[in-house]
Amino acid sequence: MQPNIRFANEQDIEKITAYLKRANLATEGIAESIDYFLIMEDARQEILATLGIEHSGEVGLLRSLAMSPKLTEADILLLFNKMFILARKKSLSTLYLATNKPQSVSFFQLLGFKLLESKVVPEPLTKLKHAKHIFTVDNSLFMELNL
């Protein structure tokens, strides 16, 4: 059975927070960004993946990507495609992401992201709370997608 992807709501904050804590990911700011989160669930409504956006104006930073190892590539692509739809619906013009895993860059490039060559943090991200956490992670690579 194909997993279900849905928009998160206020009732999901604790569920998402617990899932992200189990994945050792930052949980600050989830409540403020809950309208920009997607949840992928199985038939028992257990979370299989999350993906969110922290936003400022027309710019967003993908955050909180956590996923079950049992997901397929098709499941992950579907999650990202739904996120792009949500971002456009929320009138975002640019999405950024940060990764400290160089091996993931080619996957994100397949989705349309471009690697930013500069080691300088893109100015729009300096306004985002979650981005400040990323700045403390060594070897972060930033990528950009114009929607």
Side-chain angles (χ1 to χ4, degrees), residues 113-128:
F113 284 89
K114 293 187 178 6
L115 186 61
L116 298 176
E117 298 300 325
S118 171
K119 295 293 182 191
V120 176
V121 175
E123 192 277 326
L125 298 185
T126 61
K127 299 174 183 151
L128 302 175

Side-chain angles (χ1 to χ4, degrees), residues 27-136:
T27 59
E28 300 84 27
I30 292 172
E32 295 83 7
S33 297
I34 196 65
D35 292 343
Y36 288 77
F37 265 83
L38 295 177
I39 298 175
M40 180 181 280
E41 297 174 317
D42 64 16
R44 297 183 319 265
Q45 296 183 328
E46 296 293 324
I47 295 180
L48 298 173
T50 63
L51 182 57
I53 298 173
E54 182 179 2
H55 64 85
S56 176
E58 295 180 354
V59 173
L61 173 67
L62 290 180
R63 63 161 294 174
S64 307
L65 174 60
M67 57 192 138
S68 165
K70 51 184 157 175
L71 291 181
T72 66
E73 231 176 74
D75 294 331
I76 297 165
L77 288 172
L78 183 61
L79 180 64
F80 272 91
N81 283 329
K82 295 273 187 177
M83 181 53 75
F84 298 154
I85 292 168
L86 174 61
R88 287 182 189 104
K89 184 178 177 180
K90 296 285 190 177
S91 300
L92 298 181
S93 63
T94 308
L95 284 178
Y96 290 94
L97 66 79
T99 182
N100 62 351
K101 297 178 175 79
Q103 66 273 23
S104 67
V105 169
S106 59
F107 171 75
F108 293 125
Q109 287 174 325
L110 286 173
L111 295 172
F113 284 89
K114 293 187 178 6
L115 186 61
L116 298 176
E117 298 300 325
S118 171
K119 295 293 182 191
V120 176
V121 175
E123 192 277 326
L125 298 185
T126 61
K127 299 174 183 151
L128 302 175
K129 288 180 187 176
H130 185 71
K132 290 179 178 137
H133 168 73
I134 293 170
F135 304 153
T136 66

Side-chain angles (χ1 to χ4, degrees), residues 1-18:
M1 181 174 198
Q2 184 172 345
N4 178 49
I5 299 174
R6 66 178 179 82
F7 299 111
N9 58 54
E10 289 184 11
Q11 290 76 32
D12 295 313
I13 293 171
E14 288 182 28
K15 189 175 177 180
I16 292 171
T17 300

